[in-house]
Amino acid sequence: MDWRFDNSYARDLPGTYVVQKPEPVPAPTLVKLNTALAAELGLDPAALLPDAAALFSGNALPEGAEPIAQAYAGHQFGGFSPQLGDGRALLLGEVIDIHGQRRDIALKGSGRTPFSRRGDGRAALGPVLREYLMGEAMAALGVPTSRALAAVATGARVQRERGLPGAVLTRVAASHLRIGTFEFFAARGDRAMVQRLADYAMARHYPDLPQGEGRYLAFFDAVTRAQARLIAQWMGLGFIHGVMNTDNMTISGETIDYGPCAFMEAYSPGTVFSSIDHQGRYAYGNQPLILGWNLARLAETLVPLFDADEARAIDLANERLGAIAGIYRAEWVQVMRAKLGLDGAQEGDADLAEGFVAALSGTDWTLGFRRLARATAPADLRGLFKDMAALEAWWPQWQARRALDAPARMQAANPAYIPRNARVEEALAAAEAGDLAPFERLLSVLADPYTDRPGLEAYALPAPESFNDSFRTFCGT
Ligand code: AMP
Ligand code: MG
């Protein structure tokens, strides 16, 4: 089959990657093929099927693929690692989809590369299916995200705390350019390569930006807007990424690297699920601050491009960094307007949103918004809200401000179904034991998150508090 690869990264950016073949796996079997996404990529799902296990395990390469491991660095939990890179992933190349969008096709778990350090280059089936599920759920929720094209079991075991079935994920993304890609070259003093990367990223992700003087500032502003909008969407959904290291933050503004991520149930700003986030650096309520911290790392790599005069370049960068909190805030208020069914923008909307969020303390984040849509009085929410007094005090301002068609607007902005932790764990445990039915069913529930459907009530409910209190997520590496 003709994939019509057009590999601009490999062609335009020599010196930013190493050419590397996937390591063969012993007995690949197809676990899941995303036929809708395949069709979006211009591939015929039926024609793919016979070779799917071989292709999506890396045992065979599609025609036109030029596999490479990309170099990148990154700040991990605040500390700088000058060399990370694709240690278990390979970019096969890029395909122009049926909408004319250029998309990366990459394997994850495809074997060792020069960037593997002490890792085995592999991935386990549970984390692969977790990334599959989370990415598809986010896409259906309307959040920019990488997608999963396929999951293949390798037939080999991977050794983690215990032996686990191995798997390979095929990931589709707008690109895999990260803040960490820029940091890799900036840390080596390779200003020319930073500039080449910026030119490439602009042409690929922000083609409408003005050319000429000031274009790198415009580029930085565009990345800021995209990432601020993304984090505002995460916050609206109660999504906790879990590892907002600079190597996991894309230049395109898409969510990537679903490792220890999870959706919050009872609202508390300090919520953390990741077993390695001991200090709560990437807690729910910290994500907007980390957005600014990460963008500061990107700005540092771009300073030499902002202005030939260094002092002036630094001033320009600082001006930008000072504006990020306000840019994020505006995006967050916009998300909240939709969630609360407000029409237009008014002074006081931010306070109204803050008021509701405060009243949600301890209450299931997703159900709190979803049930508010159909409530006609605070009493309708008794039993759900922990702080009825706060809700009652807030109610009259909202009544006065909300749009006439608020219920319909709110149904479309507040999901009934999210990947709830207990459901995800249950689906992955069954899959590991060879039963894919719960995974398939959860995937189908999450494909249409804004429409209540009879028979799916249990998927809309939080786990018992005791579950979430002790629930921990792992990077799965
Ligand atoms: P992540 O936590 O998945 O974002 O990965 C951080 C870094 O560790 C990246 O450079 C990965 O390529 C690398 N890495 C993670 N797991 C493995 C593994 N099993 N083998 C080799 N490299 C890995
Ligand atoms: Mg990563």
Side-chain angles (χ1 to χ4, degrees), residues 8-296:
S8 68
Y9 196 94
R11 188 169 59 231
D12 298 348
L13 293 169
T16 66
Y17 58 83
V18 293
V19 172
Q20 177 73 40
K21 291 266 181 304
E23 287 182 314
V25 307
T29 51
L30 183 67
V31 175
K32 181 73 185 166
L33 176 65
N34 190 337
T35 52
L37 181 58
E40 208 176 301
L41 293 169
L43 303 170
D44 174 5
L48 266 182
L49 264 181
D51 300 325
L55 287 173
F56 299 120
S57 62
N59 277 12
L61 286 174
E63 199 189 317
E66 298 173 274
I68 57 175
Q70 293 176 307
Y72 56 85
H75 278 84
Q76 301 181 300
F77 290 91
F80 186 59
S81 301
Q83 181 165 320
L84 294 168
D86 286 335
R88 56 165 172 167
L90 291 174
L91 176 63
L92 295 182
E94 302 144 34
V95 164
I96 313 293
D97 72 14
I98 58 171
H99 309 296
Q101 295 296 316
R102 179 178 295 274
R103 300 176 76 176
D104 275 8
I105 314 284
L107 300 179
K108 187 168 177 179
S110 49
R112 292 180 48 82
T113 78
F115 300 110
S116 296
R117 292 166 292 157
R118 286 184 305 278
D120 61 1
R122 293 298 180 188
L125 179 65
V128 161
L129 293 182
R130 194 159 210 292
E131 176 150 0
Y132 195 118
L133 201 64
M134 288 292 182
E136 291 309 290
M138 291 288 262
L141 287 163
V143 182
T145 177
S146 67
R147 303 281 304 271
L149 179 59
V152 169
T154 61
R157 309 283 291 176
V158 293
Q159 194 53 45
R160 298 295 181 257
E161 279 106 78
R162 56 197 172 96
L164 297 169
V168 178
L169 179 77
T170 302
R171 178 158 87 173
V172 176
S175 85
H176 286 79
L177 282 167
R178 314 144 190 268
I179 292 180
T181 317
F182 287 78
E183 288 180 285
F184 183 95
F185 296 98
R188 284 158 181 73
D190 192 344
R191 182 183 174 282
M193 192 61 95
V194 172
Q195 183 162 6
R196 283 234 283 288
L197 280 171
D199 290 337
Y200 176 88
M202 253 188 287
R204 183 160 174 182
H205 297 300
Y206 305 102
D208 299 332
L209 292 181
Q211 292 301 308
E213 217 185 319
R215 69 187 191 280
Y216 298 109
L217 283 167
F219 168 61
F220 182 74
D221 290 344
V223 177
T224 298
R225 270 195 307 278
Q227 290 198 1
R229 196 165 299 158
L230 179 71
I231 309 305
Q233 284 189 278
W234 290 359
M235 296 302 281
L237 291 164
F239 176 78
I240 306 167
H241 183 279
V243 247
M244 286 178 73
N245 294 334
T246 55
D247 53 305
N248 291 337
M249 301 310 293
T250 58
I251 296 302
S252 67
E254 276 187 350
T255 316
I256 56 160
D257 273 16
Y258 294 92
C261 66
F263 281 75
M264 175 174 67
E265 300 208 325
Y267 166 54
S268 167
T271 306
V272 173
F273 290 111
S274 169
S275 60
I276 56 168
D277 192 359
H278 306 293
Q279 314 285 324
R281 178 181 173 89
Y282 299 136
Y284 172 74
N286 249 7
Q287 296 184 125
L289 284 176
I290 296 295
L291 160 77
W293 196 92
N294 287 341
L295 286 169

Side-chain angles (χ1 to χ4, degrees), residues 316-361:
L316 287 165
N318 280 327
E319 215 174 273
R320 259 54 194 190
L321 298 179
I324 292 172
I327 292 167
Y328 166 74
R329 178 88 176 158
E331 294 292 345
W332 182 80
V333 176
Q334 200 51 34
V335 166
M336 286 295 149
R337 285 191 185 106
K339 289 180 78 71
L340 292 173
L342 313 185
D343 194 7
Q346 286 182 23
E347 192 97 15
D349 287 350
D351 288 344
L352 189 67
E354 295 281 10
F356 184 69
V357 168
L360 260 183
S361 189

